Amino acid sequence: MPPSPVTLAYLAAQPWQFGDVATWISAIASVATVMLALAASIVGYRVYKVESGRDARAELDRRERAADERRSQASLVSTWYGRIENEITPRRTSFLMGLPPSYTWGAWVANASNLPIYDAALRFYLPGADGSYVGSWSSEPTRVVPPYSKDLFLALPHNAAELLREDERPTLEVSLEFRDAAGRYWLRDGKGYLHELPSVPRAFTQRQ
């Protein structure tokens, strides 16, 4: 039903209820300003996230490059456990006499970098059944291991060789502590992983 003439006359007499054109334009402009500001904030936040992510990746790359540079020499130093055959008598004479070959157990140290390493010290571990170590023995430190030299063999310490049974000797693990040419201290553990030591290890201070 359309409004009655009385209703229309009343509404015409009260124009302030709807506001004039200028008020509506001002209100619309205010809403548009708020919406634009909100949109700008969303865009700015997204740009910030992108820039922050880019900066974080750049910082991570920088740290990785710095870590690789710090480890560049130490990563080329390795050690492994094994044995060498003793040459007490010529091999042919041993064979003819029916003598079994004898071996010396120990570890090799290889420095494949182009700089020497210092104070290289081996530590031999006897693993137990539960994965822990039930014994350990340290070698005398080698003051300098030249670069690109023939692999250096260091025998198992005499006290360990005397205490270990024949069947225990092949099961040993070995770690290597050393100082690189830049003065940083490193540990190549029994599993082959390389760790930078945060300060001069106790083993080094005891040897000095």
Side-chain angles (χ1 to χ4, degrees):
M1 175 182 297
S4 64
V6 176
T7 301
L8 292 176
Y10 175 80
L11 293 176
Q14 305 293 333
W16 52 269
Q17 295 287 349
F18 299 98
D20 55 19
V21 174
T23 302
W24 277 99
I25 292 176
S26 177
I28 293 173
S30 298
V31 171
T33 300
V34 172
M35 293 182 66
L36 288 175
L38 179 61
S41 299
I42 294 174
V43 172
Y45 177 75
R46 290 179 177 177
V47 171
Y48 168 77
K49 292 288 288 184
V50 171
E51 293 294 334
S52 298
R54 185 181 296 115
D55 292 343
R57 289 191 296 272
E59 177 63 17
L60 179 61
D61 291 343
R62 186 192 66 78
R63 291 183 180 181
E64 289 178 348
R65 287 194 299 270
D68 290 342
E69 184 178 349
R70 291 178 66 87
R71 298 163 63 93
S72 59
Q73 182 188 12
S75 63
L76 298 175
V77 178
S78 58
T79 185
W80 62 96
Y81 182 71
R83 65 184 185 179
I84 58 174
E85 186 174 351
N86 297 327
E87 296 292 345
I88 301 176
T89 58
R91 186 184 300 272
R92 180 175 177 81
T93 303
S94 298
F95 175 77
L96 293 175
M97 295 177 62
L99 298 175
S102 62
Y103 301 96
T104 296
W105 289 91
W108 282 267
V109 176
N111 178 15
S113 72
N114 57 3
L115 293 170
I117 62 170
Y118 304 91
D119 296 329
L122 294 169
R123 191 166 186 85
F124 300 87
Y125 301 91
L126 177 63
D130 60 353
S132 62
Y133 294 119
V134 296
S136 64
W137 301 267
S138 297
S139 70
E140 289 296 324
T142 300
R143 289 300 179 183
V144 180
V145 179
Y148 296 119
S149 60
K150 182 180 179 181
D151 299 339
L152 175 66
F153 181 80
L154 299 175
L156 188 66
H158 290 295
N159 58 342
E162 293 173 355
L163 291 173
L164 292 170
R165 302 191 309 266
E166 288 293 333
D167 62 328
E168 290 178 327
R169 296 182 186 185
T171 66
L172 295 185
E173 297 179 4
V174 63
S175 68
L176 172 67
E177 291 180 358
F178 63 95
R179 176 168 55 88
D180 67 14
R184 305 183 186 100
Y185 292 90
W186 300 88
L187 168 67
R188 179 76 71 177
D189 67 22
K191 304 301 182 184
Y193 296 107
L194 182 66
H195 309 273
E196 183 176 1
L197 302 175
S199 60
V200 179
R202 184 179 179 184
F204 282 94
T205 58
Q206 289 177 338
R207 294 197 298 264
Q208 293 174 352

